[in-house]
Structure formats: structure tokens, C-alpha cells
Amino acid sequence: MRTFLIAGNWKMNAAPGAAKKLAEDIAAKWKEESFHSEALLCPPFISIPAVAAAFEGTQFKVGAQNVHTENDGAYTGEISTSMLKDAGCEYVIVGHSERREYFHESDELVAQKTKKVIDDGLKPIVCVGEVLSERKEGIHQEVVKRQVDAVLTHLGNDESDTLVIAYEPVWAIGTGETATPQQAQEMHQFIRDLITQHWGETSSEKVRILYGGSMKPDNAGELLSQKDVDGGLIGGASLSAGSYSEILKISETI
Ligand code: PEP
């Protein structure tokens, strides 16, 4: 059985003071209760230490939203895996659609970052997903196959325990529009079949595939109940301690 991963992506929101408060509010909701899902919040880089400190002694984990492929050196504005580990991160989101679109991250770069993250002992959450025009054209599976293949060819099947893929239809991110549970399951199964083709079934059954795109307390139950949906990557709703905790609570009931 795969353990649900309920991951929040705070994007460019929550400076250290606000992030500390939000993390404390989330942790406070679980003061009396433990959970079986894995719970992760990914603040902006500068807020990672504050969130890591707020989560100390709790089950909540901290991750980052991006990383560079080099260890150190003249890469102004970038951050390395060792810096993230030092600050308390366990996971890194890689290839979010906003990075692919606004920062021109290619499939190849996303694959290199994923490999670097795993080699250096962190866990990647690799985002894949089609834009609206690609879904309308009916080439959504082709697009996701290209993105997933690029990553899998850089890795080996012994990395199936560590690799997390997030299917995020770009048309559903921050739009309030969600993929139907059937659309999500169809793509998640397609991704798992692709992994099986690369690594075999035993390994593909270990890889967690998250759904992302306007997940909220009112749609989380149906989405998380799908056979191949192993958690959520949550943007907007993770900025509310109540909504994030509600989704975590829902995952505990499935
Ligand atoms: C995201 O940023 O990965 C995301 C899914 O955002 P939202 O939940 O706001 O659509």
C-alpha cells in the first residue's frame, strides 16, 4: 500500500513571519491527533527555516519549490540540494508548470534536477501536465508521456520508492476548475502504465502519483478515492490552515 502524501505548495506567498504563523496554525490542529498520511508544506526558500522550526517535534515535513543542478558556485539567485537539506527539507518540487512556463524549464532540465535531488538524498515531486489547448486537441497523454519519459530515462527502478510524480493539468491550477475524478484516474493510470513499461510492475506500484489542480476540501474525497491517486499537491487551499488540515483529515478516512 502506498502512503498518501498531502503536499502544500505555498508558491511566492508567506514571508517568514506569516509562514511561521501558518505552520503553527496547521500543527496546532493536530496537537492531540496523529495521522498516517505524510504531510508536507513547501514554503518559499526564505521561509523554510521558520517553518522547519515550527514543525519541530511534529509529523509535518518541509520541502522546497525548486533547486539547482550544481552543488555550489557562481549561480546567482539559485539554491543547492545541500542548502535545502541543511535547512531541514526532505522533498523538492521539480518542474512545476509555472517554472516550465515562466522560467522556460525544459523536460531535460527537469529530468536533470530530479536525478540530482535523488542522488543527494532528497525526494523529488516531479510535476507533469498538459495545458488546455493540448487537452482540447486530444494530445494530453502524448504530452505527459514526453514529460514522464524524460525523467524515467534518467533514473533506475531502484528509485521508485523515492520518486513522486504530480499530475497537474495546467488548466486546473489556480483556476478553480478541477479535473473530474475520472479524468484524474485515467491520467494517473496512464502514468503508472508508463512507469511499468520502463521499470516493471513491482516498481511502478511503489511510485506515488499525486493530483494537483484546485484540490479543496469539497473535491478532495472523490479525487483521493481514485485507485491511482496517492495524494495531492495543493496550492491555494494550502494557504489556509483549516482547508489544508481538512484535506489531510479526509485522506485519513480513505
Ligand atoms: C499547484 O500550485 O501546484 C496547484 C495545484 O495550485 P492550486 O491548488 O491553487 O490549483
Side-chain angles (χ1 to χ4, degrees):
M1 264 310 275
R2 297 177 293 269
T3 307
F4 276 129
L5 174 59
I6 306 299
N9 172 16
W10 289 352
K11 311 194 184 189
M12 199 172 71
N13 298 292
K20 176 177 181 286
K21 167 91 172 61
L22 182 51
E24 285 170 353
D25 288 350
I26 290 172
K29 293 196 176 290
W30 294 87
K31 229 171 43 198
E32 316 292 336
E33 253 178 286
S34 62
F35 46 83
H36 300 102
S37 298
E38 232 184 316
L40 171 76
L41 280 309
C42 301
F45 295 139
I46 197 167
S47 301
I48 289 171
V51 173
F55 284 161
E56 217 173 292
T58 76
Q59 287 182 271
F60 290 93
K61 297 178 176 180
V62 192
Q65 301 172 17
N66 184 30
V67 71
H68 197 263
T69 50
E70 296 298 326
N71 289 330
D72 44 45
Y75 301 99
T76 303
E78 293 293 331
I79 200 153
S80 70
T81 51
S82 60
M83 293 172 189
L84 295 179
K85 279 202 293 188
D86 195 81
C89 290
E90 188 172 323
Y91 285 87
V92 187
I93 298 170
V94 179
H96 191 280
S97 63
E98 287 151 16
R99 295 214 58 85
R100 291 180 190 258
E101 183 182 351
Y102 306 137
F103 303 97
H104 313 294
E105 292 198 5
S106 64
D107 292 337
E108 176 60 24
L109 179 62
V110 172
Q112 285 171 10
K113 287 187 176 191
T114 305
K115 174 102 184 90
K116 177 71 178 161
V117 165
I118 293 181
D119 285 351
D120 292 351
L122 287 160
K123 296 171 188 163
I125 299 174
V126 183
C127 300
V128 299
E130 79 285 358
V131 299
L132 186 58
S133 59
E134 292 164 338
R135 179 156 282 264
K136 282 189 172 158
E137 264 183 77
I139 57 167
H140 44 291
Q141 291 192 337
E142 207 176 297
V143 169
V144 169
K145 177 175 170 19
R146 191 199 70 223
Q147 295 169 335
V148 171
D149 280 346
V151 168
L152 294 183
T153 49
H154 278 71
L155 306 176
N157 63 354
D158 51 334
E159 273 133 2
S160 54
D161 284 327
T162 321
L163 177 67
V164 179
I165 293 178
Y167 170 56
E168 300 206 302
V170 180
W171 47 271
I173 297 179
T175 58
E177 196 164 328
T178 321
T180 63
Q182 294 70 30
Q183 283 173 321
Q185 170 56 26
E186 185 186 57
M187 187 61 92
H188 282 230
Q189 183 168 353
F190 176 74
I191 293 170
R192 200 170 308 283
D193 289 346
L194 275 178
I195 304 169
T196 304
Q197 284 162 29
H198 280 262
W199 293 347
E201 200 179 332
T202 309
S203 296
S204 80
E205 283 298 321
K206 292 186 193 161
V207 176
R208 286 181 293 178
I209 308 173
L210 315 184
Y211 170 79
S214 300
M215 186 182 270
K216 302 182 234 27
D218 27 326
N219 58 28
E222 260 203 292
L223 288 161
L224 294 173
S225 300
Q226 302 304 308
K227 180 175 165 289
D228 289 289
V229 176
D230 306 313
L233 182 54
I234 305 146
S238 72
L239 287 165
S240 150
S243 297
Y244 174 81
S245 293
E246 195 54 41
I247 296 172
L248 180 57
K249 202 164 279 175
I250 290 165
S251 76
E252 291 293 288
T253 66
I254 295 167

